Amino acid sequence: MTAAREIGASLLRPQAEQVDVDGVPRSHIEALAAAGLLGLVAPAEAGGADASLAVMRAVTEELAAADSSTWFVWTQHHTPVRTLARSRNEQLRERWLPVLAQRALAGVAFTHLRRPGPPPVTATRTNSGWLISGDIAWLTSWGLADVFLIGAQAGDDVVWALVPLQDRREVTARSLALAAMQGTRTMQVHLDAMPVGEDDVVLIENLTAWRETDAVRTADVSPSVFGVTREALTLLRDRGPDAETLATRLSEELTALRSAVDRLVDVPAATGDEDDRLRLRAQAHRLACDATAALVAAGGGRSMLLDQAAQRLARVALFLQVQGQTAAVRAAQLRGY
């Protein structure tokens, strides 16, 4: 937590507007690695910290407040680490877990698994492994990540493969012009029968079971939303008496909302509480949009300059509404407006 706060203050926050335009630099990843923040969820035997959920939530809030682009690249790294930690592929674990815990960055592509209908990314078994084909709509950390965890559908299962993607003839990447989070180096990627050996398969699991777990996870609000809201309110307090009064009121709402969320995320999801979780998530996003819009208004026309935090935070708040958005999350958000 202390390391995240120090890196946020000394490195991430001062460069956040530039990173938003130019992209997350490798030096930011190296700084996170040197502070031990790449290995937070990795097992201790791999050199990780095996951090608790509470620690992860606190670090997430700090990094997202300071620089959301770097936070997003960082947070995606932990899904491959967690998945690899569950793997029975001992050679793959030994090859990658210590490296990912200490210095290498991993990216991930799995949001397509949430979509109904024909699978966008498929895995077909061969004599020597698998062929993965299809279109990945969103792939973050292109040019930064050393390896990517790809989720591909094979019938009723998901095949998780951990592979490098750049400089492969079966992989075609196309840049995206994003309205927010351009600094995350997010691309559209086409896979044309990319071969994957069995030794690069992390695990195979049932798709329905994965979707059920994912639905529980995405129902909760990400602490990144609280980080962005808090950052906007901190800046709003310096914009005059009226802005300070508003910031105080919205901060009280933020405190109450965070307490309600913490009470739910600290206990396992229970039957019947999904609506409460979704409602709180929708309220948190609404508050983030209100706080960042107020910061824009308080700054006047200057808020529209790309070197101003106000416009960046407002765009990040909009992005967070659709990040990790499922049909259930979307319905809750729309009910909240």
Side-chain angles (χ1 to χ4, degrees):
M1 177 65 180
T2 301
R5 186 176 292 119
E6 290 176 351
I7 287 178
S10 64
L11 177 66
L12 304 186
R13 190 172 282 105
Q15 298 184 30
E17 277 65 65
Q18 197 62 44
V19 166
D20 185 53
V21 174
D22 294 339
V24 177
R26 184 72 196 189
S27 56
H28 277 26
I29 307 305
E30 293 168 353
L32 295 173
L37 296 178
L38 290 186
L40 278 185
V41 302
E45 60 268 23
D50 199 14
S52 67
L53 176 61
V55 169
M56 281 300 296
R57 290 182 66 81
V59 172
T60 294
E61 183 170 330
E62 286 296 327
L63 295 182
D67 173 7
S68 298
S69 291
T70 299
W71 155 73
F72 195 56
V73 166
W74 170 85
T75 199
Q76 295 217 340
H77 167 84
H78 300 298
T79 295
V81 173
R82 287 190 181 99
T83 308
L84 193 56
R86 295 192 289 126
S87 177
R88 295 182 180 178
N89 186 337
E90 292 297 333
Q91 290 185 338
L92 192 64
R93 283 168 54 93
E94 292 174 4
R95 187 185 353 149
W96 277 111
L97 262 181
V99 179
L100 293 177
Q102 297 169 38
R103 62 181 182 277
L105 181 73
V108 68
F110 67 84
T111 58
H112 48 268
L113 296 174
R114 296 179 179 137
R115 298 181 197 168
V121 181
T122 60
T124 305
R125 189 178 285 280
T126 67
N127 291 333
S128 58
W130 300 84
L131 292 177
I132 297 183
S133 301
D135 294 299
I136 300 171
W138 312 97
L139 187 81
T140 295
S141 303
W142 189 259
L144 275 179
D146 303 282
V147 68
F148 290 89
L149 178 72
I150 308 298
Q153 189 171 340
D156 295 330
D157 292 329
V158 181
V159 177
W160 295 99
L162 191 68
V163 291
L165 290 182
Q166 289 190 250
D167 301 322
R168 298 188 63 155
R169 62 179 180 82
E170 308 91 359
V171 178
T172 305
R174 184 170 69 86
S175 61
L176 294 168
L178 300 176
M181 305 291 275
Q182 185 70 32
T184 60
R185 302 183 181 222
T186 300
M187 310 283 280
Q188 285 184 341
V189 174
H190 175 71
L191 306 177
D192 185 12
M194 180 181 71
V196 173
E198 291 289 356
D199 32 340
D200 289 324
V201 173
V202 181
L203 57 84
I204 300 173
E205 62 183 332
N206 179 264
L207 176 61
T208 299
W210 179 86
R211 283 176 172 167
E212 290 173 353
T213 301
D214 181 67
V216 172
R217 182 173 59 249
T218 54
D220 286 323
V221 58
S222 168
S224 61
V225 181
F226 294 144
V228 169
T229 305
R230 175 168 58 85
E231 185 77 1
L233 295 178
T234 298
L235 296 173
L236 185 62
R237 291 185 185 279
D238 296 330
R239 298 297 196 270
D242 291 340
E244 184 176 7
T245 299
L246 176 59
T248 298
R249 178 173 66 79
L250 294 181
S251 293
E252 291 171 354
E253 292 183 29
L254 176 62
T255 299
L257 188 56
R258 183 192 277 110
S259 296
V261 169
D262 286 346
R263 284 195 294 272
L264 281 179
V265 299
D266 285 342
V267 298
T271 303
D273 72 355
E274 183 183 14
D275 287 346
D276 290 336
R277 294 173 185 267
L278 290 169
R279 175 179 52 78
L280 289 172
R281 173 169 173 165
Q283 290 176 359
H285 285 291
R286 182 70 178 270
L287 181 58
C289 288
D290 286 348
T292 55
L295 182 62
V296 169
R302 186 170 177 79
S303 295
M304 293 295 99
L305 298 176
L306 287 179
D307 64 355
Q308 296 296 299
Q311 53 81 30
R312 175 179 59 83
L313 291 169
R315 290 185 289 108
V316 170
L318 293 177
F319 161 79
L320 290 173
Q321 289 199 92
V322 298
Q323 189 256 328
Q325 186 191 61
T326 63
V329 170
R330 184 183 303 112
Q333 289 171 320
L334 293 176
R335 285 195 299 269
Y337 281 102

